[in-house]
Amino acid sequence: MALKKVNYEEIKKILSLNEGLGFVCISKHYHKNKINCSRLSELLKIPINRLKELCMKLEELGFLKMHKLGTELEIELILMEDENIKNILDEIIWDNKIEYGNIYKRFITMEFMDFLNGK
């Protein structure tokens, strides 16, 4: 079976959207295996349906894999060791410094609150 060619330009286009910057932040700083879409929706302040649409597009492109757990949906990022993806993520961060910084602050706060709550 042939490997699917990765469409880096389409991945970059989606991740450059304000909603996509959350995935960039997760890929750079989230070191757990999977992340819950409901939590991510809350963190990014975007509707869960919009987030699921982005997840489906990114799954089709091979950037992530979605896992259904009952009524919940979790995502797993799968292209993080790809050098082209690493370069794209760095470029997106540079081009969107302010927006990315705001998401990063919310993300770190969420992680800190999880730590304080023993999660």
Side-chain angles (χ1 to χ4, degrees):
M1 180 164 52
L3 291 174
K4 182 180 174 184
K5 186 174 182 337
V6 177
N7 186 338
Y8 294 108
E9 285 304 312
E10 189 64 23
I11 290 173
K12 181 179 178 181
K13 182 177 156 187
I14 292 171
L15 294 179
S16 295
L17 300 170
N18 280 339
E19 297 94 339
L21 289 174
F23 293 105
V24 175
C25 192
I26 290 168
S27 66
K28 285 292 195 179
H29 305 288
Y30 196 71
H31 303 292
K32 294 180 184 175
N33 215 8
K34 299 173 188 159
I35 187 163
N36 182 289
C37 278
S38 296
R39 293 249 359 247
L40 185 57
S41 170
E42 181 183 318
L43 170 73
L44 300 175
K45 296 178 177 32
I46 60 173
I48 188 73
N49 291 337
R50 176 70 180 135
L51 183 65
K52 287 180 182 178
E53 286 176 26
L54 286 174
C55 287
M56 288 190 300
K57 289 178 186 175
L58 289 169
E59 185 174 46
E60 288 172 12
L61 294 167
F63 182 75
L64 59 81
K65 181 155 180 57
M66 296 189 299
H67 302 277
K68 189 150 176 85
L69 297 167
T71 60
E72 292 294 319
L73 186 65
E74 289 187 341
I75 58 170
E76 174 183 13
L77 303 176
I78 55 177
L79 279 180
M80 296 305 90
E81 298 306 316
D82 183 306
E83 286 302 316
N84 289 324
I85 291 294
K86 288 179 181 179
N87 292 335
I88 287 170
L89 297 176
D90 290 340
E91 187 177 326
I92 290 169
I93 291 169
W94 181 257
D95 291 343
N96 301 280
K97 292 183 262 322
I98 295 172
E99 298 90 348
Y100 180 84
N102 290 332
I103 292 169
Y104 179 74
K105 287 176 196 173
R106 290 194 306 255
F107 183 76
I108 293 300
T109 302
M110 177 188 78
E111 287 285 291
F112 183 65
M113 296 307 290
D114 283 352
F115 173 76
L116 290 178
N117 293 325
K119 290 183 181 179

